Amino acid sequence: PPPPQGGPAPAVIEAITKGNKVVFFDVTLGADEKGNGGNALGRIKLELYVKDCPKTCENFRQFCTGQHLRNSQPTGYKNSTFHRVMKDFMIQGGDFLNHDGTGKTCIYSENRGFDDENLSLKHDRPGILSMANSGPNTNGSQFFITCGRAEWLDGKHVVFGSVLDADSMLTVRKCEAVPVSGVGNRPRV
């Protein structure tokens, strides 16, 4: 049955009942860096596996909500981009510092990463939310969402959540379908 008017969707209630957190991105194609213009692609709801990766989830959650402050200003993913798109593999985002995959920060220490928290969860299907890194114990703000199985990443990247529902996965697929250019697989918009 549909959720009550204005109430949370059943998948959200289920995730929260399990003790997890739910966050979301409203994705727009072609907006400027302040979020103006462009075409709305949809919303990506993400379930965060708080029991398995509490530190990683809290870092991500605060960047989703803008709760983390940097220079007394809310800091996070709002108006940031998916800077790397690789069809049948993943979409990567979270570099709200440099917007090109080179920026790193976290809520625990400015311009540094934090340690891998749990490497036991698998990249076994599309829709897995995982930390992007540059080697062991280098997690920051960057993340990726899988568009297919990626078992070669198991034990190397921290899986800390997943896409919550079919509508959200459709939005991921729309992002995956954006034309890319260059070595860095940067979306052309």
Side-chain angles (χ1 to χ4, degrees), residues 112-124:
R112 289 190 37 216
F114 62 98
D115 288 350
D116 295 328
E117 185 169 26
N118 181 343
L119 294 170
S120 66
L121 301 177
K122 306 297 182 199
H123 301 83
D124 58 358

Side-chain angles (χ1 to χ4, degrees), residues 1-170:
Q5 187 74 16
V12 172
I13 294 170
E14 182 181 340
I16 293 169
T17 301
K18 290 190 288 188
N20 290 328
K21 304 273 185 188
V22 176
V23 295
F24 65 88
F25 296 131
D26 286 327
V27 182
T28 302
L29 178 65
D32 66 20
E33 50 189 50
K34 293 187 178 180
N36 300 315
N39 297 304
L41 294 184
R43 177 171 281 184
I44 302 173
K45 293 180 208 160
L46 298 160
E47 179 177 358
L48 306 182
Y49 303 154
V50 176
K51 292 178 183 177
D52 295 310
C53 303
K55 190 173 182 178
T56 306
C57 289
E58 184 60 14
N59 182 70
F60 188 79
R61 188 195 67 76
Q62 285 196 31
F63 286 141
C64 285
T65 63
Q67 183 178 342
H68 182 68
L69 301 179
R70 182 177 179 168
N71 301 321
S72 301
Q73 295 295 314
T75 301
Y77 300 133
K78 185 174 183 177
N79 300 326
S80 68
T81 63
F82 287 110
H83 61 269
R84 189 173 178 212
V85 174
M86 299 179 74
K87 186 148 181 60
D88 300 321
F89 176 30
M90 59 91 184
I91 59 174
Q92 182 175 337
D95 180 3
F96 49 79
L97 297 176
N98 299 335
H99 312 286
D100 63 3
T102 62
K104 178 185 286 185
T105 191
C106 71
I107 66 170
Y108 305 110
S109 61
E110 188 117 348
N111 299 322
R112 289 190 37 216
F114 62 98
D115 288 350
D116 295 328
E117 185 169 26
N118 181 343
L119 294 170
S120 66
L121 301 177
K122 306 297 182 199
H123 301 83
D124 58 358
R125 65 186 187 281
I128 294 295
L129 177 63
S130 186
M131 292 302 291
N133 64 41
S134 55
N137 303 313
T138 59
N139 299 291
S141 58
Q142 292 189 51
F143 63 91
F144 60 92
I145 300 171
T146 60
C147 298
R149 293 175 54 105
E151 59 278 351
W152 62 92
L153 300 178
D154 293 347
K156 298 175 185 162
H157 293 264
V158 175
V159 170
F160 66 100
S162 62
V163 173
L164 189 64
D165 57 28
D167 288 342
S168 296
M169 196 63 208
L170 178 60

